[in-house]
Amino acid sequence: MKSLLAAAFAIITLYFIFDSGSAIKCYECNSFFQSDCADWFDNKTHNLVDCGDEVKMCRKIVQEVYYNDDWDVRYIRQCAASGEVGDNEGRSCKDRTGTYRVKVRYCHCNNQEGCNGASNIKVPALLLAVPLLTSIGLFFSKYL
């Protein structure tokens, strides 16, 4: 019974270790369609999207357009296949100004899941290895 419990515990732990994988998860939304995508962003209102194995960064774009005597601001959060992570783990952004009164701010990050939203807690794989090693020890303790 003890070995069956240890094996089940090990399988569940392995699932969580490999489920976290190398792909990053980011928030994907556009404030033009979803008003809760703007700042201040509440990460409880959106789910993280798996970006795929090739994508290693998240992006947040703040787009300002002057139209009809008013500034229209849009926030876009998405997975990023390319880009440059700014200083201070992506907290420093790149500002671009275009013609026709367009301003764009690009922020790229790759330091944690959902880094293009609010802070998020990520459990390190090493911490998940502790229950795995415990279950292996329980499994082999019957042979000692």
Side-chain angles (χ1 to χ4, degrees):
M1 178 66 181
K2 191 193 293 187
S3 62
L4 182 61
L5 181 64
F9 196 56
I11 290 170
I12 291 170
T13 304
L14 283 172
Y15 169 76
F16 283 113
I17 288 172
F18 291 112
D19 184 49
S20 61
S22 62
I24 193 167
K25 294 180 181 179
C26 303
Y27 292 103
E28 287 198 343
C29 60
N30 186 325
S31 66
F32 183 72
F33 304 107
Q34 303 152 299
S35 62
D36 58 352
C37 186
D39 282 343
W40 298 97
F41 183 70
D42 182 6
N43 63 356
K44 296 179 189 119
T45 60
H46 293 276
N47 293 322
L48 288 169
V49 175
D50 189 348
C51 295
D53 292 334
E54 300 82 33
V55 177
K56 304 293 182 203
M57 293 182 287
C58 298
R59 176 185 299 133
K60 174 184 165 187
I61 301 170
V62 181
Q63 177 182 4
E64 297 179 55
V65 179
Y66 191 76
Y67 183 71
N68 287 340
D69 298 325
D70 193 25
W71 282 101
D72 183 32
V73 181
R74 295 195 183 138
Y75 296 84
I76 303 161
R77 300 170 197 277
Q78 58 191 195
C79 298
S82 63
E84 183 179 330
V85 176
D87 294 336
N88 200 10
E89 295 182 335
R91 290 183 186 92
S92 297
C93 303
K94 304 271 187 212
D95 292 320
R96 300 285 183 254
T97 303
T99 56
Y100 303 108
R101 297 185 180 181
V102 175
K103 298 179 193 174
V104 180
R105 171 174 278 193
Y106 297 93
C107 309
H108 292 89
C109 57
N110 62 358
N111 59 330
Q112 67 179 358
E113 304 288 328
C115 60
N116 62 340
S119 295
N120 208 5
I121 297 172
K122 182 177 178 182
V123 178
L126 183 62
L127 186 62
L128 291 173
V130 171
L132 175 65
L133 295 173
T134 304
S135 61
I136 290 171
L138 284 172
F139 180 75
F140 287 110
S141 68
K142 72 177 186 177
Y143 297 112
L144 297 177

